[in-house]
Amino acid sequence: MLKIGDFQFHSRLLLGTGKYPDFDVQKQAVEVSETEVLTFAVRRMNIFDPVQPNFLEKIDLQKYRFLPNTAGAKNAEEAVRIAKLADASGLCDMIKVEVIGCDKTLLPDPVETLRATEMLLEEGFTVLPYTSDDVVLARKLEELGAHAIMPGASPIGSGQGIINPLNLKFIIEQADVPVIVDAGIGSPCDAAYAMELGADGVLLNTAVSGAKDPVKMAEAMKLAIEAGRLGYEAGRIGRKQYAAASSPKEGISVVE
Amino acid sequence: MLKIGDFQFHSRLLLGTGKYPDFDVQKQAVEVSETEVLTFAVRRMNIFDPVQPNFLEKIDLQKYRFLPNTAGAKNAEEAVRIAKLADASGLCDMIKVEVIGCDKTLLPDPVETLRATEMLLEEGFTVLPYTSDDVVLARKLEELGAHAIMPGASPIGSGQGIINPLNLKFIIEQADVPVIVDAGIGSPCDAAYAMELGADGVLLNTAVSGAKDPVKMAEAMKLAIEAGRLGYEAGRIGRKQYAAASSPKEGISVVE
Amino acid sequence: MLKIGDFQFHSRLLLGTGKYPDFDVQKQAVEVSETEVLTFAVRRMNIFDPVQPNFLEKIDLQKYRFLPNTAGAKNAEEAVRIAKLADASGLCDMIKVEVIGCDKTLLPDPVETLRATEMLLEEGFTVLPYTSDDVVLARKLEELGAHAIMPGASPIGSGQGIINPLNLKFIIEQADVPVIVDAGIGSPCDAAYAMELGADGVLLNTAVSGAKDPVKMAEAMKLAIEAGRLGYEAGRIGRKQYAAASSPKEGISVVE
Amino acid sequence: MLKIGDFQFHSRLLLGTGKYPDFDVQKQAVEVSETEVLTFAVRRMNIFDPVQPNFLEKIDLQKYRFLPNTAGAKNAEEAVRIAKLADASGLCDMIKVEVIGCDKTLLPDPVETLRATEMLLEEGFTVLPYTSDDVVLARKLEELGAHAIMPGASPIGSGQGIINPLNLKFIIEQADVPVIVDAGIGSPCDAAYAMELGADGVLLNTAVSGAKDPVKMAEAMKLAIEAGRLGYEAGRIGRKQYAAASSPKEGISVVE
């Protein structure tokens, strides 16, 4: 079970809702993925419209917990304001702090992320900050009380997978709250790798919505995350420089 | 469906039977893996004993196809002799040519592998040669008539995963017969990666039998191979140098 | 020329002075390296002793600029205190901010590094902060006025080389001050790689002092940094998925 | 000293002569590189013309040993024929066996390479076969009597660098003749890496001739190969998972 704040989930996949070819494909991908947590940018919500936000119109809202993010915020104050809008919408079980510090790389601003996390925790939110893989920064976020840490594997939407497994491992080893690898996952093996490093979950969007067949990729990701988690629990073999026969050498006499 | 010669399989995992902690664990791991093809070294078979070979004593022999290997052979003639022993045992649906050319690395001998493949094909075997990832060698094996090509990911039992994905990709692209990645797979993400490159299957042994919990790892590998295959079919996103937002930039006005 | 604050250097190698087998080897390695900047931990200086600090006793102090570091500091205030001690010693042309936030990984504390950098700049020091490869953090350090940015390639003394070339590249591209890759360099090719990414310099210690032959390794590093710089300036070929013949195909008729 | 057959060289760089912007740049690059061995495709030679082959017109032929290659050969017989043409031209001190088995990847044909090597050795040539990094194949070439082994780092002209350092290391460890890494080198750090793995030399062409500034890149490569060789001899530090301070922890009291 993945426990974040007061929530418990069977699935360790947190899925984004953006950039699908259409809402039917989105709906199918979400269902096939068996995710229990949907994430989206608050700025995409049609807040002042009485009807459901368009981009969730096909989604059965009763079945999911929502993790809106503060994308668009340039500093902590904006992030808090966005979080409150999300909260007012009723679709905010948890909040993902996303304060981008660089438009080209979409990498997060460590200082504003720390501040936003602190401010939102004081407001009583369940707070999951998206962060770089800076190991000490991750610990500071946890010390503030963040309910999970979400280090990026590589830049958002880049599909480059896990560039620095060492930092992720350090972050995972030091953490007492869940570590959710967020951003950069490109394919199922990336997701499995994150889980094998000991991550508690994976958040992804583009890898599914941007695949040629998003529904099939959603299923692939579901299985990969299960596979990676089981692999982590099962305890993989060590890496050896040289080879090791899988059969004992004795008994060879039969062929001589 | 994975088609090798006249055989068809739902599972794309070929599983070894060596070095499990005990036969009960082996049996459970084999079952959980849902493999349909078991592989083993002929030299481990208790050929001249009327009773079942010990290391398969817990296995329901009706449920599997058998892919014995010629490990121990130093040249083509020895490989053929070992294959005939396997055939005589009744547990030989297909034969894996394994002619090791270096005791330290357990890497295969390209010349003797070619010769053994040719000789065994002439004898009417369904032949799957274990080979290095030499791209031209792989094509020569296919031109001889090999029923599948089995390039190694890294040295046998090393758990180093796929060192040269480029060569594997070239081998897969040029092949009209199945390509089964064999040797070196260490963890589920390695297996998923092989499948995402377009491999038709994965053969592994130590990664499961040597895991702390072989049964759980067998399940992990089953899922990883399914995930990787689905991911391949689903068409992954490209890798981008820079980031790409998963939400459109418009709509941000709501928060300003 | 490498320009840091008011200083100019022909050499792009900044060399540490710690952990050599003895002071003679240290002296030789320093000379062979042709470095113009020596770095050391202030806490190793024998401050209250009227004679020269032992670990520099063989060094001709007139020939170098000194970049003491604040290792041992747990926060900005301690870093400032250490820097002032260094300054008082007369061996402090520039100061390397090193505020470690994790004893196991020796990775830096981003918040205290920012604060220390700001405080030391106000005191008039030429400040070079050692930082993680967090891209936005690096820009904030530059915005404060840091005279150079020193992102780590991998943990101090680990010899793991450059784990995340993408982040280093982003840091280099956005910087208007020199970027010196610091920590983790293990071998000459690591140093060359840093320079090829566009780094302005490399700081290293253990890779030289811990080599079997530190003097020879010092020479290797000198050459590698020159090679990497020239390679950067020369503009390397692109990476191609497939092969490209180095000879034109025409003219082949002569052999047919 | 690099010893190949009866030849001895100070330089460990073997340089190709193809695809330079013009012959003046080629001449300068060759000189700056300090190479002593020039390589070229025989099919580019203007054999039946009484005047010097055009592409070497600016080269002082007295200063170099020549290593023509058999590019264009599809089998051993063609390779031998090409080698004899080279020999007749007077510009053939050693012969590089290059029998390509795949036009898309330009990867070598292992069987024809073995045959060509054997036939050319019988003819009395000093023979350097270009081969894949198949470890057992490399040993067979040496057992035939090849004067050096030239495994590719990655496909010709791809600039992908060393994809499989493990196989190169195995080839180097088992060899009693020089191992020259050939093909795929893209930048100085690739060349340094090859040398640090223990290679005896590096052969490259496109990485220099295709650089924006070939002359500067030639110098970079010269330095990188020297750096890598010195690094290999100097004995690099081991890679550690965690960090190791470069200064001893004692002595810290001064700052407290």
Side-chain angles (χ1 to χ4, degrees):
Chain A
M1 296 288 283
L2 170 62
K3 298 180 190 176
I4 303 175
D6 294 335
F7 304 103
Q8 294 201 355
F9 306 104
H10 289 92
S11 166
R12 292 174 181 277
L13 170 58
L14 292 73
L15 193 61
T17 56
K19 297 209 290 189
Y20 286 84
D22 60 53
F23 291 154
D24 284 317
V25 170
Q26 182 207 51
K27 173 189 162 74
Q28 279 178 271
V30 165
E31 286 178 6
V32 161
S33 78
E34 296 184 10
T35 184
E36 298 166 64
V37 180
L38 294 179
T39 181
F40 53 86
V42 175
R43 66 184 180 195
R44 293 181 59 226
M45 298 176 72
N46 197 356
I47 288 287
F48 303 109
D49 191 330
V51 300
Q52 217 65 273
N54 284 337
F55 75 101
L56 294 175
E57 72 181 22
K58 300 256 180 175
I59 303 291
D60 179 353
L61 302 181
Q62 307 312 311
K63 292 172 61 181
Y64 302 96
R65 294 293 179 177
F66 292 93
L67 174 66
N69 68 55
T70 65
K74 292 291 183 192
N75 55 44
E77 285 73 17
E78 286 182 20
V80 171
R81 187 171 153 217
I82 295 172
K84 288 184 178 173
L85 277 172
D87 195 36
S89 78
L91 292 176
C92 180
D93 299 297
M94 304 169 282
I95 188 78
K96 171 176 162 183
V97 174
E98 182 171 334
V99 186
I100 298 304
C102 172
D103 285 340
K104 192 171 78 170
T105 63
L106 298 183
L107 290 168
D109 182 320
V111 173
E112 297 302 317
T113 298
L114 275 168
R115 288 182 61 234
T117 298
E118 187 165 28
M119 290 162 71
L120 287 164
L121 287 166
E122 278 168 18
E123 299 272 354
F125 283 86
T126 297
V127 184
L128 294 76
Y130 161 59
T131 176
S132 75
D133 61 8
D134 184 301
V135 176
V136 179
L137 182 63
R139 209 191 50 232
K140 286 183 184 282
L141 288 164
E142 182 173 356
E143 287 168 356
L144 287 177
H147 295 85
I149 307 296
M150 304 215 294
S154 50
I156 293 175
S158 72
Q160 292 200 51
I162 298 173
I163 298 182
N164 191 331
L166 188 71
N167 274 8
L168 285 187
K169 201 158 146 274
F170 287 155
I171 289 172
I172 289 164
E173 285 176 2
Q174 80 186 356
D176 288 321
V177 296
V179 175
I180 316 284
V181 173
D182 179 11
I185 298 298
S187 77
C189 69
D190 294 340
Y193 188 23
M195 298 306 294
E196 289 176 29
L197 289 170
D200 298 277
V202 169
L203 188 157
L204 50 84
N205 186 347
T206 311
V208 166
S209 66
K212 292 218 179 76
D213 183 339
V215 179
K216 190 173 270 192
M217 190 58 91
E219 187 180 359
M221 288 297 186
K222 180 194 72 169
L223 294 172
I225 289 170
E226 291 173 12
R229 181 67 187 182
L230 283 169
Y232 173 69
E233 292 174 359
R236 63 158 287 160
I237 56 170
R239 288 178 185 83
K240 287 176 197 141
Q241 170 84 316
Y242 292 100
S246 50
S247 330
K249 289 249 169 163
E250 64 273 22
I252 192 170
S253 59
V254 71
V255 302
E256 285 166 351
Chain B
M1 296 289 282
L2 169 62
K3 298 181 191 177
I4 303 175
D6 295 334
F7 304 103
Q8 294 201 354
F9 307 105
H10 289 92
S11 166
R12 292 175 180 277
L13 170 58
L14 292 72
L15 193 62
T17 56
K19 297 209 290 190
Y20 287 84
D22 60 53
F23 290 155
D24 284 317
V25 170
Q26 181 207 52
K27 173 189 164 73
Q28 279 178 272
V30 166
E31 286 178 5
V32 161
S33 78
E34 296 184 10
T35 185
E36 299 166 65
V37 179
L38 294 180
T39 180
F40 52 86
V42 175
R43 66 184 182 196
R44 293 181 59 225
M45 298 177 74
N46 197 356
I47 288 287
F48 304 108
D49 191 330
V51 299
Q52 217 67 272
N54 283 337
F55 75 101
L56 294 175
E57 71 180 24
K58 301 257 179 173
I59 302 291
D60 178 354
L61 301 182
Q62 308 311 310
K63 293 172 60 182
Y64 302 96
R65 293 292 179 180
F66 292 93
L67 175 65
N69 68 54
T70 65
K74 291 291 182 193
N75 56 43
E77 286 72 18
E78 286 182 20
V80 171
R81 187 170 152 218
I82 295 173
K84 289 183 176 172
L85 277 171
D87 194 37
S89 79
L91 293 176
C92 180
D93 299 297
M94 304 168 281
I95 188 79
K96 171 177 164 184
V97 173
E98 182 171 333
V99 187
I100 298 303
C102 172
D103 285 340
K104 192 171 77 170
T105 63
L106 298 183
L107 291 168
D109 182 320
V111 174
E112 298 301 317
T113 297
L114 275 169
R115 288 183 60 234
T117 298
E118 187 166 26
M119 290 161 71
L120 286 164
L121 286 166
E122 278 168 18
E123 299 272 353
F125 282 86
T126 298
V127 183
L128 294 77
Y130 161 60
T131 175
S132 76
D133 60 9
D134 184 300
V135 175
V136 179
L137 182 63
R139 210 192 48 233
K140 286 182 184 283
L141 288 164
E142 181 173 354
E143 286 169 356
L144 287 177
H147 296 85
I149 307 296
M150 304 215 294
S154 49
I156 294 175
S158 71
Q160 292 199 52
I162 298 174
I163 298 182
N164 191 332
L166 187 70
N167 274 7
L168 285 188
K169 201 159 145 275
F170 286 155
I171 290 172
I172 289 164
E173 285 176 2
Q174 79 185 357
D176 289 321
V177 296
V179 175
I180 316 283
V181 173
D182 179 10
I185 298 298
S187 77
C189 68
D190 296 340
Y193 189 23
M195 298 306 295
E196 289 175 30
L197 289 170
D200 298 277
V202 170
L203 188 157
L204 51 83
N205 185 347
T206 311
V208 166
S209 66
K212 291 217 180 77
D213 183 337
V215 179
K216 190 172 270 191
M217 190 58 91
E219 187 180 0
M221 288 297 186
K222 180 193 71 170
L223 294 171
I225 289 170
E226 291 173 13
R229 181 67 186 181
L230 284 168
Y232 172 70
E233 292 173 0
R236 63 158 286 160
I237 56 171
R239 287 178 186 82
K240 287 176 197 141
Q241 170 85 315
Y242 292 99
S246 50
S247 329
K249 288 251 169 160
E250 64 273 22
I252 191 171
S253 59
V254 72
V255 302
E256 285 167 353
Chain C
M1 295 290 282
L2 169 62
K3 299 180 190 176
I4 304 175
D6 295 333
F7 303 103
Q8 294 200 355
F9 306 105
H10 289 93
S11 165
R12 293 174 181 278
L13 169 58
L14 292 72
L15 192 62
T17 55
K19 297 210 290 190
Y20 286 83
D22 59 53
F23 290 154
D24 284 318
V25 170
Q26 182 206 51
K27 173 189 163 74
Q28 281 179 270
V30 165
E31 286 177 5
V32 161
S33 78
E34 296 183 11
T35 185
E36 298 166 64
V37 180
L38 293 180
T39 180
F40 52 86
V42 175
R43 66 183 181 198
R44 293 180 59 226
M45 299 176 73
N46 199 356
I47 289 286
F48 304 109
D49 192 329
V51 300
Q52 216 66 272
N54 284 336
F55 75 102
L56 293 176
E57 70 180 25
K58 301 257 180 174
I59 303 291
D60 178 354
L61 302 181
Q62 308 310 313
K63 293 172 61 182
Y64 302 97
R65 294 292 179 178
F66 292 93
L67 174 66
N69 69 54
T70 65
K74 292 291 182 192
N75 55 45
E77 286 73 16
E78 287 182 19
V80 171
R81 189 172 151 215
I82 295 172
K84 289 183 177 173
L85 278 172
D87 195 36
S89 78
L91 292 176
C92 179
D93 300 297
M94 303 168 281
I95 188 79
K96 171 175 163 184
V97 174
E98 182 171 335
V99 186
I100 298 303
C102 172
D103 285 339
K104 192 170 78 170
T105 63
L106 298 183
L107 291 167
D109 181 321
V111 174
E112 297 302 318
T113 298
L114 276 169
R115 288 182 59 234
T117 298
E118 188 166 27
M119 289 161 70
L120 286 164
L121 286 166
E122 279 167 18
E123 299 272 354
F125 283 86
T126 297
V127 184
L128 294 76
Y130 161 59
T131 175
S132 76
D133 61 9
D134 184 301
V135 176
V136 179
L137 182 63
R139 211 193 46 232
K140 286 182 184 284
L141 288 163
E142 182 173 355
E143 286 168 355
L144 286 177
H147 296 85
I149 308 295
M150 304 215 293
S154 49
I156 293 174
S158 72
Q160 293 199 52
I162 298 174
I163 298 182
N164 191 332
L166 187 70
N167 275 7
L168 284 188
K169 201 159 146 274
F170 287 155
I171 290 172
I172 289 164
E173 285 176 1
Q174 79 185 356
D176 288 321
V177 295
V179 175
I180 316 283
V181 173
D182 179 11
I185 298 299
S187 77
C189 68
D190 296 340
Y193 189 22
M195 298 307 295
E196 289 176 29
L197 289 169
D200 298 277
V202 169
L203 188 158
L204 49 83
N205 186 348
T206 311
V208 166
S209 66
K212 291 217 180 77
D213 184 338
V215 178
K216 191 172 268 193
M217 190 58 91
E219 187 181 359
M221 288 298 185
K222 181 194 70 169
L223 294 172
I225 289 169
E226 291 173 12
R229 181 66 186 183
L230 283 169
Y232 172 70
E233 293 173 0
R236 62 159 286 159
I237 55 170
R239 289 178 185 82
K240 290 178 195 138
Q241 170 84 316
Y242 292 99
S246 50
S247 330
K249 290 249 170 164
E250 63 273 22
I252 192 170
S253 59
V254 73
V255 302
E256 282 166 355
Chain D
M1 295 290 283
L2 169 62
K3 299 180 190 177
I4 303 175
D6 294 334
F7 303 103
Q8 295 201 355
F9 307 105
H10 289 93
S11 165
R12 292 174 180 277
L13 169 59
L14 292 72
L15 193 63
T17 56
K19 297 209 291 190
Y20 286 83
D22 60 52
F23 291 153
D24 284 317
V25 170
Q26 182 206 50
K27 172 189 163 73
Q28 281 179 270
V30 165
E31 285 177 5
V32 162
S33 77
E34 296 183 10
T35 185
E36 298 167 64
V37 179
L38 293 180
T39 180
F40 53 85
V42 175
R43 65 183 182 197
R44 292 180 60 225
M45 298 176 73
N46 198 358
I47 288 285
F48 304 108
D49 192 329
V51 300
Q52 216 67 272
N54 283 336
F55 75 102
L56 294 176
E57 70 181 23
K58 301 258 180 175
I59 303 291
D60 178 353
L61 302 181
Q62 308 312 312
K63 293 172 61 182
Y64 303 97
R65 293 293 179 178
F66 292 93
L67 174 66
N69 69 54
T70 65
K74 292 292 183 192
N75 54 45
E77 286 73 15
E78 287 182 19
V80 171
R81 188 173 151 216
I82 295 172
K84 288 183 177 173
L85 278 171
D87 195 36
S89 78
L91 292 176
C92 179
D93 299 296
M94 303 168 281
I95 188 79
K96 172 177 163 183
V97 174
E98 183 171 333
V99 187
I100 298 304
C102 172
D103 285 340
K104 192 171 77 170
T105 63
L106 298 183
L107 291 168
D109 181 320
V111 173
E112 297 302 318
T113 298
L114 276 169
R115 287 183 60 234
T117 298
E118 187 165 26
M119 290 160 71
L120 287 164
L121 286 166
E122 279 168 17
E123 299 271 353
F125 282 86
T126 297
V127 184
L128 294 77
Y130 161 59
T131 175
S132 75
D133 61 8
D134 184 300
V135 177
V136 179
L137 182 63
R139 212 192 45 233
K140 285 181 185 284
L141 288 164
E142 183 173 354
E143 286 168 356
L144 287 176
H147 296 84
I149 307 296
M150 304 214 294
S154 49
I156 292 174
S158 71
Q160 293 199 52
I162 298 174
I163 298 182
N164 192 331
L166 188 70
N167 274 8
L168 285 188
K169 202 159 144 274
F170 287 155
I171 290 172
I172 290 164
E173 285 176 1
Q174 79 185 355
D176 289 321
V177 296
V179 175
I180 316 284
V181 173
D182 179 11
I185 298 298
S187 77
C189 69
D190 296 340
Y193 189 22
M195 298 306 296
E196 290 176 30
L197 289 169
D200 298 277
V202 169
L203 187 158
L204 49 84
N205 186 348
T206 311
V208 166
S209 65
K212 291 216 180 78
D213 184 337
V215 179
K216 191 173 270 194
M217 189 58 91
E219 187 180 0
M221 289 298 186
K222 180 194 70 169
L223 294 172
I225 289 170
E226 290 173 12
R229 181 66 187 183
L230 283 169
Y232 172 69
E233 292 173 0
R236 62 159 286 158
I237 56 170
R239 288 178 186 82
K240 289 177 196 141
Q241 170 84 316
Y242 292 100
S246 50
S247 330
K249 290 249 170 161
E250 64 274 21
I252 191 169
S253 59
V254 73
V255 303
E256 283 166 354

